[in-house]
Amino acid sequence: MKRILSLLTVLLCVWANAQTSDLTKDVEETLKQQAKVKVDELTNHISFIMQKSGYDDEIKDFHIQAALNLFMGKGKSYSDKYGNVQPAPRMQVSSINRTTGEVSIRDFPVSTYLSNLKYLSYDQVEITNSKSTFIDNLHKVGEDEYEAVLSWVQIFIGKKGDMVIYKDKTKKNIVVRMQKKNYGGIVRWDVLLGDTTAAVTE
């Protein structure tokens, strides 16, 4: 029995290694950089959507749609290449009660989250992403298709006039889907965003 269990363990390790063995280190690094760029793009769009002055609804709606285009299914439920219906990506939002210190977390479809940003009560918002990001659990999910989890720290500051009325720092994790595509004989990788979770808020 022990020999059988040992053999199964070896086979599982070989299988797990095979899930990413066809990606070279250069390709892995390129995909990681593309994933970080996508997250930075999302943050930039969010910053525009949340500002109260200088941007009308038409401009904000443009940034909402541009942000949705970064996600799997363009932020809506979608059918994958195997015909399976997948739910719309979701976004967790965390906040701290400054009186009690309690952290609350809410969960929205990403389209609802982005639309709600237009109605926040801050006069000005500053969002900063940490330069360092960490990508973990890169694994194969289909032919020429991979997923990973990108983690980073985001600092959020909300102001009324020049006064800071809310500030937090949150570690965020986002699922990243990487798909190899052929465009008229030109092969490239598409990187799309998925569910986002708020891991730690302080």
Side-chain angles (χ1 to χ4, degrees):
M1 178 60 72
K2 288 183 179 180
R3 292 182 63 184
I4 293 174
L5 289 174
S6 297
L7 179 60
L8 286 173
T9 301
V10 170
L11 289 174
L12 284 171
C13 290
V14 170
W15 177 84
N17 290 333
Q19 298 304 294
T20 57
S21 62
D22 53 345
L23 285 182
T24 66
K25 290 297 183 182
D26 286 344
V27 170
E28 283 189 28
E29 187 59 34
T30 297
L31 293 177
K32 290 176 181 179
Q33 291 301 318
Q34 285 182 253
K36 183 181 184 304
V37 168
K38 293 285 185 178
V39 169
D40 288 340
E41 286 182 28
L42 175 62
T43 300
N44 287 337
H45 290 307
I46 288 173
S47 295
F48 280 109
I49 297 165
M50 296 179 77
Q51 301 306 330
K52 289 298 181 184
S53 60
Y55 304 99
D56 58 22
D57 279 352
E58 185 176 354
I59 294 175
K60 291 184 178 185
D61 289 342
F62 168 83
H63 284 285
I64 288 174
Q65 188 55 57
L68 288 173
N69 289 341
L70 300 173
F71 286 85
M72 290 180 267
K74 296 187 176 181
K76 300 178 181 179
S77 60
Y78 63 98
S79 296
D80 61 24
K81 63 183 180 181
Y82 306 106
N84 302 313
V85 176
Q86 302 295 336
R90 301 189 69 84
M91 177 77 67
Q92 278 190 353
V93 179
S94 61
S95 61
I96 300 175
N97 184 309
R98 291 305 177 186
T99 302
T100 65
E102 183 180 355
V103 176
S104 62
I105 296 178
R106 292 177 292 167
D107 183 272
F108 302 95
V110 68
S111 58
T112 302
Y113 162 77
L114 292 170
S115 295
N116 287 347
L117 293 180
K118 293 196 298 183
Y119 307 108
L120 293 182
S121 59
Y122 305 113
D123 293 336
Q124 185 181 355
V125 170
E126 297 175 7
I127 302 175
T128 306
N129 288 345
S130 60
K131 292 183 179 179
S132 59
T133 58
F134 180 73
I135 291 188
D136 192 20
N137 194 28
L138 178 64
H139 61 284
K140 194 168 187 177
V141 294
E143 185 177 357
D144 292 330
E145 194 168 10
Y146 297 81
E147 276 190 4
V149 176
L150 186 148
S151 302
W152 78 103
V153 174
Q154 183 178 89
I155 297 174
F156 176 96
I157 299 174
K159 295 181 177 180
K160 281 281 191 181
D162 295 328
M163 182 181 297
V164 174
I165 62 171
Y166 182 82
K167 180 178 180 179
D168 70 27
K169 181 170 69 174
T170 303
K171 180 186 175 185
K172 297 199 169 190
N173 300 322
I174 190 166
V175 174
V176 181
R177 175 73 58 85
M178 306 158 181
Q179 300 170 325
K180 192 174 184 179
K181 297 290 186 69
N182 189 316
Y183 295 92
I186 300 175
V187 176
R188 74 175 193 186
W189 288 88
D190 284 351
V191 177
L192 296 170
L193 306 178
D195 293 338
T196 304
T197 55
V200 179
T201 300
E202 57 186 24

